[in-house]
Amino acid sequence: DADVTQTPRNRITKTGKRIMLECSQTKGHDRMYWYRQDPGLGLRLIYYSFDVKDINKGEISDGYSVSRQAQAKFSLSLESAIPNQTALYFCATSDFAGPTRDEQFFGPGTRLTVL
Amino acid sequence: EDQVTQSPEALRLQEGESSSLNCSYTVSGLRGLFWYRQDPGKGPEFLFTLYSAGEEKEKERLKATLTKKESFLHITAPKPEDSATYLCAAAGFMNYGGSQGNLIFGKGTKLSVKP
C-alpha cells in the first residue's frame, strides 16, 4: 500500500461548488502539506500542519481551507470553486527531526478541473 | 528573499550523452537541499538530500553535489527511462511560510532522453 494516498484522483466540478480533497498517510509523520502545481509556476504551498492542533497558511491560501482530523489525515476544501483553481493538487508529509528530516513524501495527486 | 532557481528549463539529450542540471539557491541558513524526480501527472519522487557543502550522493546514473550556492545533478550515460522533470528544493533554518523546514521548490528542469 502507498504511504501517502489521495482521494479522489480526478475530479471535475462546476463553479461555485464545494469540493473536498482528502489525504491519508501511514508514514507516522507529524507534518503534512497541501500544494498545487500549475504549468510554469511549479509547486506552491497552500497550507501546512505540524500536528492536529497546529495549522498554518502557506503562500496561496485564499479560497482554500483545511482540516487535520488526525495525525494521519489532512483534508483540503475549496468552499466555492472557481476556474482558476483548476490544477494538480498534492499532499505531502515529513518529519521535522531525525535522519530524514524535511524530506517530503508526496501522494499521487488529485487532478481538479473547475468548469 | 529565499529562492531556488533551476536551469536549464528543458534539456534534450541523446541516450548516453552525459550532462548536468543546475540548482542555485538563496536561503538564510541551509537545513537541506533536496532533489526529486517527477513523471507527468504523478507526485514528485524523492531522490537525494544534501546537508552540507562538499557532500555528494549517488544513485544509479545520478549523482548530486552541493556547494554553498548551488547544487548539481549529474546524469551519466542517460537512458530514455531517465526522461522526467527534476525538481530541486531547499529548506532553511529561517522562516519560509512561517516555519523552519518548509521547502522552497524550483520550477524544475524537464529532461528528455532520445534513443
Side-chain angles (χ1 to χ4, degrees):
Chain A
D1 288 344
D3 293 322
V4 183
T5 58
Q6 292 183 234
T7 55
R9 295 294 313 280
N10 289 282
R11 181 71 183 268
I12 299 174
T13 191
K14 295 182 179 181
T15 298
K17 294 292 187 181
R18 185 178 188 275
I19 298 297
M20 179 179 286
L21 309 183
E22 298 184 325
C23 176
S24 295
Q25 54 114 346
T26 58
K27 296 192 72 69
H29 291 164
D30 289 326
R31 293 190 160 197
M32 297 187 74
Y33 309 81
W34 276 105
Y35 292 89
R36 67 176 280 175
Q37 189 174 42
D38 300 273
L41 296 179
L43 282 164
R44 293 184 290 168
L45 184 63
I46 305 172
Y47 271 95
Y48 62 101
S49 169
F50 292 164
D51 61 39
V52 175
K53 296 180 181 179
D54 188 353
I55 292 176
N56 305 276
K57 294 182 178 180
E59 180 185 355
I60 52 163
S61 59
D62 288 349
Y64 301 95
S65 62
V66 291
S67 172
R68 184 83 182 265
Q69 299 95 328
Q71 186 203 31
K73 295 184 182 296
F74 193 35
S75 300
L76 175 73
S77 293
L78 288 67
E79 297 300 326
S80 180
I82 56 177
N84 77 358
Q85 291 177 314
T86 293
L88 196 52
Y89 289 84
F90 291 106
C91 174
T93 73
S94 73
D95 267 335
F96 179 70
T100 61
R101 77 177 191 209
D102 303 335
E103 292 175 7
Q104 292 190 14
F105 294 87
F106 285 79
T110 295
R111 184 170 296 280
L112 177 65
T113 303
V114 183
L115 302 176
Chain B
E1 179 183 351
D2 293 348
Q3 61 181 2
V4 173
T5 303
Q6 293 187 246
S7 62
E9 290 185 9
L11 181 62
R12 292 187 176 186
L13 300 174
Q14 288 296 127
E15 184 171 2
E17 179 186 3
S18 301
S19 188
S20 296
L21 313 183
N22 177 266
C23 171
S24 297
Y25 64 91
T26 305
V27 176
S28 303
L30 185 70
R31 276 173 61 98
L33 189 292
F34 305 84
W35 283 97
Y36 289 83
R37 170 190 170 126
Q38 186 176 24
D39 292 304
K42 296 189 177 181
E45 175 188 349
F46 172 76
L47 291 174
F48 303 110
T49 307
L50 302 167
Y51 290 112
S52 57
E55 189 174 0
E56 299 182 353
K57 288 191 177 175
E58 290 188 65
K59 180 180 180 180
E60 297 181 352
R61 295 177 292 281
L62 301 177
K63 183 168 94 171
T65 62
L66 181 66
T67 73
K68 289 186 178 181
K69 294 183 178 181
E70 54 193 353
S71 178
F72 294 93
L73 185 65
H74 307 277
I75 303 177
T76 302
K79 298 181 177 181
E81 53 262 42
D82 294 322
S83 298
T85 295
Y86 291 85
L87 301 174
C88 170
F93 281 101
M94 302 303 288
N95 288 346
Y96 167 65
S99 172
Q100 291 184 17
N102 283 2
L103 299 186
I104 306 166
F105 280 88
K107 295 181 179 180
T109 293
K110 184 175 182 180
L111 175 66
S112 299
V113 182
K114 301 298 182 183

